[in-house]
Amino acid sequence: MTLPLPPEDLLAGDTLATRARWLRAEIERHDHLYYDLDAPAIGDAEYDALFRELQALEAAHPALRAADSPTQRVGGAPQPEFRAVRHAVPMLSIRTETDFGEAAAVAFDARVRRELKLGDEAPPVEYCAELKFDGLAMNLRYEHGLLVLAATRGDGETGEDVTQNVRTIRELPLRLKGDPESLPAVLEVRGEVYMRHDAFARFNREAAARGEKTLVNPRNGAAGSIRQLDPKVAASRPLSFFAYGIGETVGWDIPATHAGILDALAAFGIPVCGQRVVAKGGSELAEFHRRIGAARATLPFAIDGVVYKVNSLALQSELGFVTREPRWAVAHKFPAEEATTRLLAIEVQVGRTGALTPVARLEPVFVGGVTVTNATLHNQDEITRKDVRVGDTVIVRRAGDVIPEIVGPVLDEEHAQRACFDLIAAYPECPVCGSHVVRGEDEAVARCSGGLWCPAQRKQALLHFASRKAIDIEGLGDKLVEQLVDAGLVQTPADLYALDAGTLAALERMGEKSAAKLVAAIGKSRKTTLARFIYALGVRNVGETTARDLARSFGALDRLLAAAGSADLERLQRVPDVGPTVAACVVDFFAEPHNLEVVAALRSAGLEWEEGEEALDEAVLAAAPGEVAGKTFVLTGTLPSLSRDEAKALIEAAGGRVSGSVSKKTHYVVAGSEAGSKLERARQLGVEVIDEAGLHELLKRQGFLPEQGEEQ
Ligand code: IVH
């Protein structure tokens, strides 16, 4: 490799300082050729060699390191946190006009004129109109021309010192242009750090190729990069900057207009966006808004509106501020971006609870700063309401400029000929596990019924199965479930019973002791109750209480399976509080062969419980007569001394049952403070309402004295 040689005189009387200076100048020259003129004169390897030599020189002789050295751009060591910095002049926010129409521009001008007490005959007010960049606000402090501090806006008073990261932004000068003698002692430049669309796309392409995480959108990309504690990460992100104002200045003859300030900043070498005009009066502002709105999609970076500022600084100070916003400026927004594209297909995703969410696959379209290839359609009702059909041209919007959403179809001639989408018809079986898909009568959501089997629901199902109120396996929490499933050791709850301590001990963060403990806990859980077992299966709408009632009423699992298997809704509804919805959920669950397989596997794994006689509902109620026993309670609001769980435990210990909703079958509603709709419903149905003291009274009358909370 041939390095460009420094001029003879430097080689001759070579000192380290002159060598360092020469390297800096050479690197800057190549940066300029590469970044500004797009005309590189040397290859990457030669450039790297220059750079590394300078780095080595500076590392060996720290005195040679200058604040404006190009080596400062690559980022130093990671920091533990960002230092807080108080802004010399607060960073204010700006009033936002969300009315997208042109009237807002005219109204702003009228407001300014009124406040300046300008009569109708006075000449139009001059404004500087510019773009509202969609990135992250930044304050850059230059002292005697050198960039010494970069801080985020924070709360406007205090921001964070992100100098290391901002130094990595190539297009920002580390030293201002101009005669060093006449540069301001202090010049704070304010503006927006942002990411260009092409830089964003390139970054994501490369990150994806390396198998790394991609950025969600350019704005998050900019904000996220600036907040990286490791400046090397920030250095790898292609960021840009546009100035839109100033903060503190010392020793600078401030221009008389805002446009003059922006011109002066540009002359210092600070990037200032060319899309700015001096406009006279409201109609020219409206014209700017219209023109930029039309050009918005073709800009190489994201904007979310335009900003109008009174141009004269003298008039600005006359207008002053209201709270934290200047009266002389306003942001005039654009509506969320929309685009049209083709709906290629509607697929479904299966969530942790088995819910099937339809997802629109779209022909890739660039909208609101990102390429959108799919959008959620939420559920069947949403598809029906919007009447979107596969093959349609659809309008896509990035709602809140983040989540892509389908607004509706473009009603072309073919639309009517296309088939309406019917989720259940398209997906009668779960695309993940093949179990049948059901949708309850009053439900918006369609679900996979393979709760115990479906890989999409596996982790959730296992966690529920092992939870305290279900089979109660101590120590089996979400981290462990995650590990067991990811390692392929456990697929259904039945697999838990085949685990041995040796296998478990090989897992990360799992010692031999805890492995043995877990195996013991799993073993212990084999002895359970029918109620716990039913609850642990995770049948939709079958909570703890319903599971207990099912267990009491059927007495034996096979009797429940028989009723469910023959879809005996009538028998199921003889169980207290089981209505048509719950009965249908029970039938659906046991109609899925995969679930029955798991139930069978659990039984052969040795799970056991005591079984009893069948008891029909009246019998269940009659089994334990008393003030509380056999009665149904509903708890609502906050009780003065008992928590919900404590009250529930007391009632159940005395043989009562606690239900979640008030019906005609409810005997008592126990109401605390801030009781809401349940109390209302109790009154409508004429159900007796008592308070905590009333509950204690009932318990006492039954001769049931709770162990705790007993009166002294
Ligand atoms: S002026 C006193 N001009 O919008 C006025 N802000 O202020 C200070 N923004 O997060 C702000 N482009 O970072 C101004 N051309 C522009 C802007 C702009 C974007 C951001 C700014 C701040 C927000 C509201």
Side-chain angles (χ1 to χ4, degrees):
M1 176 197 330
T2 51
L3 279 184
L5 289 175
E8 286 295 314
D9 59 323
L10 282 188
L11 271 179
D14 203 8
T15 66
L16 295 176
T18 41
R19 180 68 182 167
R21 208 174 316 125
W22 179 82
L23 283 167
R24 280 201 289 272
E26 192 63 6
I27 291 168
E28 278 172 14
R29 187 170 72 86
H30 289 300
D31 279 349
H32 177 63
L33 286 169
Y34 183 94
Y35 290 108
D36 306 334
L37 306 182
D38 210 6
I42 55 173
D44 287 356
E46 279 171 83
Y47 180 90
D48 287 347
L50 289 175
F51 206 89
R52 274 200 304 272
E53 185 186 344
L54 180 59
Q55 273 180 321
L57 208 56
E58 288 178 342
H61 306 279
L64 293 180
R65 186 176 297 148
D68 62 341
S69 173
T71 56
Q72 299 302 299
R73 290 195 189 275
V74 290
Q79 302 161 294
E81 61 175 13
F82 296 113
R83 187 175 64 94
V85 271
R86 223 184 142 70
H87 298 299
V89 176
M91 289 180 80
L92 303 171
S93 61
I94 191 168
R95 187 188 142 101
T96 299
E97 209 55 78
T98 41
D99 175 350
F100 306 129
E102 290 171 12
V106 176
F108 172 59
D109 177 52
R111 214 161 49 233
V112 167
R113 292 183 73 86
R114 199 167 53 244
E115 256 140 18
L116 289 173
K117 303 203 169 48
L118 296 178
D120 286 343
E121 65 298 337
V125 174
E126 221 183 50
Y127 299 96
C128 184
E130 44 188 272
L131 306 185
K132 186 166 191 302
F133 313 106
D134 201 7
L136 176 75
M138 190 66 58
N139 183 53
L140 308 175
R141 187 175 173 93
Y142 287 88
E143 289 181 4
H144 303 288
L146 286 184
L147 176 63
V148 295
L149 178 69
T152 59
R153 177 169 182 272
D155 63 3
E157 297 286 346
T158 306
E160 290 179 312
D161 179 346
V162 290
T163 315
Q164 285 224 61
N165 290 343
V166 169
R167 279 219 170 96
T168 67
I169 303 176
R170 290 272 169 197
E171 51 182 60
L172 268 181
L174 300 177
R175 180 172 10 115
L176 296 180
K177 268 198 216 157
D179 171 15
E181 299 302 304
S182 53
L183 288 173
V186 175
L187 172 62
E188 285 191 340
V189 178
R190 289 188 172 169
E192 199 90 346
V193 172
Y194 68 97
M195 197 180 265
R196 291 168 55 101
H197 292 321
D198 56 359
F200 169 78
R202 188 169 357 104
F203 179 89
N204 271 357
R205 248 195 330 270
E206 292 170 0
R210 288 192 301 269
E212 289 170 12
K213 260 187 93 171
T214 53
L215 305 170
V216 179
N217 60 38
R219 176 167 28 131
N220 292 6
S225 304
I226 284 298
R227 300 211 76 263
Q228 286 290 330
L229 287 168
D230 183 352
K232 294 219 168 43
V233 177
S236 74
R237 309 275 176 88
L239 298 178
S240 297
F241 179 88
F242 275 138
Y244 55 63
I246 54 173
E248 188 185 30
T249 66
V250 176
W252 191 43
D253 200 356
I254 303 175
T257 62
H258 183 74
I261 291 176
L262 295 184
D263 291 341
L265 294 180
F268 282 136
I270 304 270
V272 179
C273 180
Q275 298 274 9
R276 62 183 195 271
V277 299
V278 171
K280 286 194 165 72
S283 60
E284 288 189 21
L285 291 179
E287 157 64 19
F288 183 74
H289 185 261
R290 190 162 50 236
R291 183 165 66 74
I292 299 297
R296 182 186 186 196
T298 65
L299 288 173
F301 47 83
I303 59 169
D304 55 352
V306 292
V307 178
Y308 313 136
K309 297 171 183 170
V310 170
N311 200 23
S312 151
L313 296 209
L315 292 184
Q316 283 187 8
S317 59
E318 202 177 311
L319 284 159
F321 300 84
V322 229
T323 56
R324 310 195 48 75
E325 295 169 352
R327 281 203 193 85
W328 44 264
V330 75
H332 192 180
K333 294 265 224 170
F334 292 130
E337 270 203 333
E338 288 182 357
T340 58
T341 189
R342 195 165 290 279
L343 175 57
L344 301 175
I346 298 178
E347 294 170 3
V348 293
Q349 278 171 353
V350 186
R352 282 164 56 87
T353 61
L356 265 62
T357 305
V359 178
R361 298 281 171 232
L362 303 167
E363 211 165 79
V365 59
F366 195 74
V367 45
V370 300
T371 302
V372 173
T373 50
N374 47 54
T376 172
L377 283 163
H378 302 288
N379 53 48
Q380 174 69 55
D381 295 345
E382 172 105 346
I383 298 175
T384 310
R385 187 174 63 76
K386 289 186 172 162
D387 191 22
V388 283
R389 308 179 186 189
V390 174
D392 278 350
T393 296
V394 292
I395 301 164
V396 179
R397 178 197 296 156
R398 287 190 58 224
D401 272 354
V402 179
I403 306 156
E405 157 189 73
I406 291 188
V407 180
V410 174
L411 295 172
D412 53 21
E413 281 171 18
E414 290 99 293
H415 172 82
Q417 274 112 57
R418 296 191 181 107
C420 291
F421 183 79
D422 178 343
L423 193 133
I424 301 268
Y427 293 94
E429 287 168 0
C430 169
V432 176
C433 76
S435 298
H436 67 281
V437 169
V438 291
R439 182 180 174 194
E441 232 169 83
D442 304 324
E443 278 222 56
V445 174
R447 286 173 199 277
C448 161
S449 62
L452 288 177
W453 174 267
C454 182
Q457 300 170 65
R458 214 164 256 171
K459 292 178 182 171
Q460 175 103 330
L462 283 163
L463 260 183
H464 174 76
F465 181 85
S467 63
R468 198 169 48 81
K469 293 177 177 172
I471 288 295
D472 191 16
I473 302 178
E474 209 183 320
L476 188 58
D478 47 3
K479 294 248 165 53
L480 201 50
V481 163
E482 190 104 349
Q483 274 180 298
L484 289 171
V485 171
D486 292 347
L489 292 173
V490 172
Q491 294 180 334
T492 75
D495 299 333
L496 292 169
Y497 294 91
L499 291 171
D500 60 65
T503 316
L504 285 173
L507 290 175
E508 225 179 287
R509 290 192 303 269
M510 174 72 95
E512 267 171 35
K513 250 198 191 153
S514 24
K517 241 170 124 181
L518 183 61
V519 169
I522 293 173
K524 202 173 110 196
S525 75
R526 282 199 173 90
K527 205 160 182 50
T528 185
T529 64
L530 179 58
R532 279 178 179 271
F533 183 79
I534 295 171
Y535 175 63
L537 296 178
V539 182
R540 235 184 103 60
N541 285 318
V542 175
E544 234 187 315
T545 308
T546 308
R548 187 171 312 133
D549 289 341
L550 284 166
R552 271 196 217 164
S553 175
F554 284 95
L557 181 63
D558 285 329
R559 270 196 290 272
L560 170 63
L561 293 185
S566 57
D568 190 347
L569 295 172
E570 200 189 324
R571 170 64 188 89
L572 285 163
Q573 286 182 61
R574 292 179 70 172
V575 177
D577 247 19
V578 171
T581 307
V582 175
C585 288
V586 173
V587 169
D588 282 338
F589 184 88
F590 291 109
E592 181 47 53
H594 293 135
N595 292 338
L596 291 175
E597 277 168 36
V598 179
V599 169
L602 283 167
R603 285 170 115 175
S604 11
L607 265 81
E608 51 174 13
W609 53 83
E610 262 179 43
E611 300 209 323
E613 296 298 303
E614 181 171 24
L616 297 180
D617 53 351
E618 290 84 356
V620 173
L621 298 176
E627 301 288 341
V628 177
K631 303 266 163 58
T632 302
F633 290 75
V634 171
L635 302 168
T636 177
T638 311
L639 301 179
S641 70
L642 292 173
S643 72
R644 275 280 164 102
D645 275 348
E646 286 166 344
K648 185 163 182 243
L650 278 177
I651 293 167
E652 287 175 353
R657 45 190 312 286
V658 175
S659 162
S661 55
V662 182
S663 72
K664 273 189 267 178
K665 292 189 187 174
T666 309
H667 296 94
Y668 295 102
V669 165
V670 186
S673 57
E674 279 161 56
S677 59
K678 286 179 190 170
L679 182 57
E680 190 120 313
R681 183 146 170 78
R683 290 197 175 122
Q684 278 167 8
L685 294 175
V687 173
E688 188 169 343
V689 177
I690 57 175
D691 59 7
E692 187 180 309
L695 174 63
H696 278 297
E697 188 55 37
L698 289 179
L699 288 163
K700 243 197 249 163
R701 265 196 263 155
Q702 193 181 312
F704 183 86
L705 291 175
E707 283 166 31
Q708 271 145 30
E710 201 178 326
E711 282 161 47
Q712 302 284 307

